[in-house]
Amino acid sequence: MRVGYARVSSRHQADSEALDQQIARLERAGATKILYDIESGRNDGRKNFNAIINLAKTGVATEIIVTRLDRLGRNTISIHRTIETFQKLKVKLTILDSPLGDTNSAFGWLTINNIAGLAEFESRLLSERVSHGTAYYRSNLKYFGFALFGYTKDENSKLIPHPENWAIAKELISQFYTNSFGSISRWLAVTHNIKMYPSSLRNWLHNPALRGHTFYKLKSGDVERHYNTHEAIITEADYQDLAKITAHTNKKDPAKFKPHILAGIFKCGTCNAAMTKTKAGKMFQCSQYTKFGKAGCSNGKVIAKSIVKAEVIKVLVDYAEEVLSEGRKRTQEPAIENEVLVTLKHQLQTLESLPSNHAIDLAIIDLKQQIKNHEKHSEVRDFTVEEDFLMLKSFSHADFWESISDTTFKVVCLRFLKVVTFNGARDISVFLNDNSLAYNSLP
């Protein structure tokens, strides 16, 4: 069988008829079966490339036809290995643009080397151009790819508010507090005629660009972070709340079901399973006992939502009074600068005192960027601490707890509590977050 193989590197090339042209030429050359890949030639794991190798090894393919040698790959060693495989299997290789004749001859070997070397050279050259281009993008804080929903790009490829979608994006954020990703997706399609799958909404919410930051993932796997590079749709503190809330969002329609006031953090003290709602949401019971009875958990007791709420409020009020009291004692103390920031500034001073050369200049630029990023990160954290501090001030007012909804109560609990456990009877334990406000962080 005469088997044709075609390849393009990207979907854009496939859509621009480059792939169709290769296939048409292979058909005219007499190929009875044609396989193709849309993938880089530097990748030896291409599905259909390996398929033609298997067809040759099993004796199904007697001739392999390609339009150019670099369709087989962009790596000299890989191309030689493929050709050697075909030669050992006595499978004929036909290259339409470069008839090689006897590939075992010295002239054939030289020709293959030259063409394969040129293919790898072009690939390396393209990789360098892309690398220089991405480095330029990062140095100028440009945004890669399509603009995030709610944003558009200016003439410098930086994110700016979209004239129409910005308000919708703000409205979308408010939906996350009470709705599931599925119901929000339906709401967006019906209300604004915008289609976003639930998975796309989740990725959108967790994109740092939504919080005003520009992050770049490097080839090494590290992430280069730049803070406050553009206007944010959501604050860092609100994002932290929503990240916790949406991790435990009820998949059912929230309009028909009351929210769980301690979603994800209310556990059974016996088996550590989640405490689930029962009795129309007025009581809580161990989910394992609800499913399997005593075979699932020995703690079959129920506890009223009102009792749980009262105990949690008591702990939060006591915590607020303790933190506020300690905070007042420390208002006159000088702020201690972050140790990491001090170290970076010391390193910068040392480098600036040395004689200038190219390597030192690059290191100075890198350190200045690290200091800038660290200062921006500290500003975000300070703002969050200040916001939490103001929230704690309201805890001692009885009308605060009476006025807030169950959804708001859940947000407050997820922000300050790590876990709440029920051990039976009225035995409830409430544990604060490890990263709750530290006294020395208060204003």
Side-chain angles (χ1 to χ4, degrees):
M1 178 188 291
R2 306 181 76 192
V3 179
Y5 177 71
R7 182 188 62 79
V8 290
S9 299
S10 65
R11 176 59 61 182
H12 173 72
Q13 288 177 310
D15 294 338
S16 64
E17 298 185 353
L19 182 60
D20 292 337
Q21 290 175 11
Q22 286 187 54
I23 293 173
R25 291 188 63 194
L26 293 173
E27 289 175 343
R28 289 196 298 270
T32 55
K33 181 180 180 67
I34 297 175
L35 301 175
Y36 66 87
D37 285 309
I38 303 174
E39 209 167 343
S40 169
R42 296 183 70 85
N43 178 18
D44 290 340
R46 285 166 279 147
K47 180 180 177 181
N48 284 326
F49 170 73
N50 287 306
I52 66 167
I53 301 295
N54 289 331
L55 289 174
K57 288 181 178 179
T58 56
V60 175
T62 57
E63 182 180 357
I64 304 297
I65 307 172
V66 293
T67 56
R68 292 185 351 214
L69 184 62
D70 61 6
R71 297 305 89 195
L72 291 176
R74 289 274 188 176
N75 181 287
T76 306
I77 296 175
S78 175
I79 291 174
H80 271 290
R81 188 185 303 122
T82 303
I83 292 174
E84 285 177 3
T85 300
F86 291 155
Q87 288 175 345
K88 289 178 181 178
L89 297 170
K90 301 187 182 308
V91 173
K92 182 181 178 182
L93 174 62
T94 300
I95 304 170
L96 301 181
D97 288 347
S98 307
L100 295 178
D102 183 9
T103 55
N104 288 320
S105 68
F107 181 77
W109 177 88
L110 178 63
T111 306
I112 288 173
N113 254 308
N114 288 336
I115 296 175
L118 183 59
E120 183 169 350
F121 168 73
E122 289 176 348
S123 179
R124 289 175 180 267
L125 202 60
L126 177 61
S127 179
E128 287 182 4
R129 287 200 298 267
V130 170
S131 190
H132 291 319
T134 54
Y136 172 76
Y137 255 66
R138 292 200 306 271
S139 64
N140 288 276
L141 299 181
K142 295 176 181 287
Y143 188 79
F144 284 100
F146 294 107
L148 201 65
F149 178 75
Y151 291 97
T152 186
K153 286 174 153 184
D154 62 13
E155 64 278 4
N156 296 315
S157 293
K158 295 186 178 181
L159 293 180
I160 57 174
H162 191 281
E164 297 173 1
N165 292 340
W166 182 261
I168 299 175
K170 287 280 191 180
E171 190 179 3
L172 188 57
I173 291 297
S174 64
Q175 291 282 332
F176 286 117
Y177 284 96
T178 54
N179 294 284
S180 66
F181 289 105
S183 59
I184 294 172
S185 180
R186 292 190 294 272
W187 165 82
L188 200 59
V190 172
T191 308
H192 298 288
N193 197 28
I194 297 171
K195 293 182 179 179
M196 288 180 71
Y197 291 105
S199 57
S200 298
L201 286 170
R202 184 181 293 276
N203 292 336
W204 180 78
L205 176 63
H206 292 297
N207 193 319
L210 208 67
R211 311 192 297 276
H213 313 320
T214 301
F215 287 6
Y216 301 112
K217 189 172 182 179
L218 308 179
K219 284 185 177 180
S220 61
D222 297 330
V223 177
E224 183 180 307
R225 296 173 170 85
H226 301 272
Y227 296 95
N228 300 337
T229 55
H230 53 271
E231 188 173 351
I233 289 178
I234 182 175
T235 66
E236 193 71 36
D238 288 340
Y239 166 72
Q240 296 299 333
D241 289 340
L242 284 179
K244 293 177 181 178
I245 292 170
T246 55
H248 308 287
T249 300
N250 196 320
K251 293 182 180 180
K252 298 175 182 177
D253 186 352
K256 300 177 182 177
F257 297 86
K258 295 180 180 179
H260 193 310
I261 58 172
L262 296 171
I265 61 172
F266 195 16
K267 306 288 184 180
C268 171
T270 303
C271 68
N272 202 38
M275 292 293 293
T276 187
K277 294 181 297 175
T278 185
K279 306 291 185 183
K282 295 180 180 179
M283 310 288 284
F284 291 103
Q285 189 173 38
C286 173
S287 59
Q288 286 298 302
Y289 182 87
T290 304
K291 291 178 181 177
F292 309 110
K294 290 185 178 180
C297 179
S298 60
N299 181 12
K301 300 293 184 181
V302 296
I303 186 167
K305 171 183 170 183
S306 58
I307 296 175
V308 176
K309 206 169 180 180
E311 185 63 28
V312 168
I313 290 173
K314 180 180 179 299
V315 171
L316 288 175
V317 169
D318 290 345
Y319 172 66
E321 290 176 353
E322 184 180 0
V323 170
L324 294 174
S325 174
E326 185 67 21
R328 282 189 286 271
K329 294 177 185 177
R330 295 174 180 264
T331 50
Q332 303 302 320
E333 293 182 8
I336 301 175
E337 192 169 18
N338 187 287
E339 292 182 6
V340 176
L341 194 57
V342 171
T343 302
L344 290 174
K345 289 182 176 179
H346 178 70
Q347 291 175 356
L348 179 62
Q349 290 176 351
T350 302
L351 287 177
E352 288 179 335
S353 66
L354 298 174
S356 178
N357 63 45
H358 183 65
I360 290 177
D361 291 343
L362 289 176
I364 288 173
I365 293 172
D366 181 62
L367 275 174
K368 285 182 176 179
Q369 185 61 57
Q370 288 185 51
I371 291 170
K372 181 181 177 182
N373 290 343
H374 201 84
E375 289 174 340
K376 291 293 184 182
H377 184 69
S378 297
E379 288 175 12
V380 170
R381 184 184 179 282
D382 290 343
F383 175 80
T384 304
V385 169
E386 176 67 21
E387 194 176 65
D388 285 351
F389 183 74
L390 293 174
M391 189 181 294
L392 287 173
K393 283 186 175 180
S394 62
F395 285 4
S396 58
H397 301 288
D399 57 347
F400 169 79
W401 299 106
E402 294 173 358
S403 63
I404 63 174
S405 65
D406 282 351
T407 300
T408 305
F409 183 83
K410 178 172 69 172
V411 172
V412 172
C413 291
L414 290 174
R415 193 153 184 167
F416 291 98
L417 301 182
K418 181 178 182 180
V419 68
V420 178
T421 60
F422 172 58
N423 307 304
R426 290 198 176 189
D427 186 3
I428 300 174
S429 302
V430 181
F431 299 90
L432 294 162
N433 262 329
D434 294 336
N435 59 347
S436 294
L437 279 172
Y439 299 148
N440 61 4
S441 299
L442 291 173

